[in-house]
Amino acid sequence: MVYKYFMNIQSMKLIFLGPPGAGKGTIARMASERLGIPQISTGDIFRTAVKEKTELGLKVQSILAAGALVPDELTIAIVKERLSWPDVRQSYILDGFPRTIAQAEALATFSKPDSAVDFEVDDDLILFRLTGRRICKSCGAIYHIVTKPPVTEGLCDLCGGELYIRNDDREETVKIRLKAYHEESEPLIEYYSRQGILMAIDGSPDPETVYNTFISKIRRYLKK
Ligand code: AP5
Ligand code: MG
Ligand code: ZN
């Protein structure tokens, strides 16, 4: 595992918090590609299920489209099962979970995160980021038409796959997702702060800067 040599640590169990569009997926992918830490995105799991029209997909399709949260019980069961796989025994990044206090309390019963990283971004920047987001249909790479455009419009630089717009990235739905974030997920910042494992990061600079801040803070934090 690459990250062990890079960071000189044995275990790195991380939660990524932050509003929609904060860059959780972007930074988690960078960490996963560069350090080999498995990324678990509940949003990606749900979107794959919708695309493949599985039983789960049929259950969550309308919830995702409306920008609401999937019920805790269902989400917790999925993460619990995924965290039982051998690849995440020592390290993982949970991207988009937990998103409610109930989910955080459930997580504590089956896994103990080392740190909760909160990416701070203002609501006005979020709207700009999400309405310009494009995602590769084949490999899931994340682009932005202004801040990270692909070399060839509409096509993924990495695999040539077609880029698409998430159907919850329309302005009206983004506003509903933001409301859900402030009401249901923001209390997690205090929850993890009280546990002494919160790490706040300014998510507004460019991705490379955010990533470097993340790495240096994690290094310092895990050395403590
Ligand atoms: P999910 O897929 O997790 O969506 P989200 O939390 O709304 O977050 P996003 O994926 O929209 O944002 P992100 O922070 O990953 O930003 P990204 O890196 O892509 O969840 C989707 C849905 O699933 C939910 O609405 C809910 O229904 C359900 N769900 C998921 N988890 C759940 C749970 N635990 N409980 C219940 N329901 C759940 O970046 C965004 C854009 O900005 C991109 O275009 C990117 O290129 C650009 N960008 C990113 N960083 C930067 C930067 N530093 N500078 C410039 N541009 C940047
Ligand atoms: Mg994401
Ligand atoms: Zn691709």
Side-chain angles (χ1 to χ4, degrees), residues 18-203:
K24 303 182 293 295
T26 297
I27 302 299
R29 266 186 88 94
M30 288 165 88
S32 162
E33 282 160 11
R34 299 177 189 189
L35 306 176
I37 307 167
Q39 169 196 11
I40 301 175
S41 158
T42 38
D44 286 350
I45 292 172
F46 293 139
R47 277 185 294 279
T48 304
V50 169
K51 194 170 114 194
E52 292 174 356
K53 297 189 168 62
T54 63
E55 199 183 319
L56 172 67
L58 297 175
K59 267 190 210 159
V60 303
Q61 184 165 22
S62 59
I63 302 174
L64 261 71
L69 292 185
V70 173
D72 285 335
E73 207 184 329
L74 189 56
T75 311
I76 291 163
I78 286 163
V79 174
K80 188 175 181 183
E81 194 278 329
R82 179 62 184 88
L83 284 183
S84 70
W85 296 16
D87 64 322
V88 290
R89 210 175 292 141
Q90 297 202 312
S91 296
Y92 57 69
I93 292 175
L94 281 179
D95 160 14
F97 181 94
R99 246 181 169 86
T100 62
I101 298 288
Q103 291 180 13
E105 286 173 346
L107 175 66
T109 68
F110 54 83
S111 188
K112 190 182 169 299
D114 297 304
S115 180
V117 186
D118 178 37
F119 295 93
E120 300 173 327
V121 175
D122 289 343
D123 286 10
D124 47 357
L125 185 54
I126 282 164
L127 208 58
F128 163 79
R129 283 193 182 172
L130 293 185
T131 49
R133 174 164 58 186
R134 301 290 183 271
I135 298 171
C136 174
K137 258 185 189 164
S138 312
C139 76
I142 305 166
Y143 296 88
H144 188 280
I145 50 171
V146 178
T147 63
K148 194 180 184 275
V151 176
T152 310
E153 200 186 320
L155 296 180
C156 178
D157 294 346
L158 302 175
C159 76
E162 198 186 317
L163 303 186
Y164 78 99
I165 302 177
R166 261 170 58 172
N167 75 346
D168 59 350
D169 277 350
R170 282 174 298 126
E171 189 169 336
E172 322 82 78
T173 318
V174 169
K175 287 183 176 156
I176 298 169
R177 286 161 60 203
L178 266 172
K179 189 164 178 280
Y181 168 76
H182 290 304
E183 288 175 3
E184 311 208 43
S185 309
E186 214 166 21
L188 291 169
I189 297 173
E190 210 201 310
Y191 177 88
Y192 285 114
S193 171
R194 265 191 273 119
Q195 296 190 5
I197 63 165
L198 186 78
M199 183 189 303
I201 290 185
D202 179 6

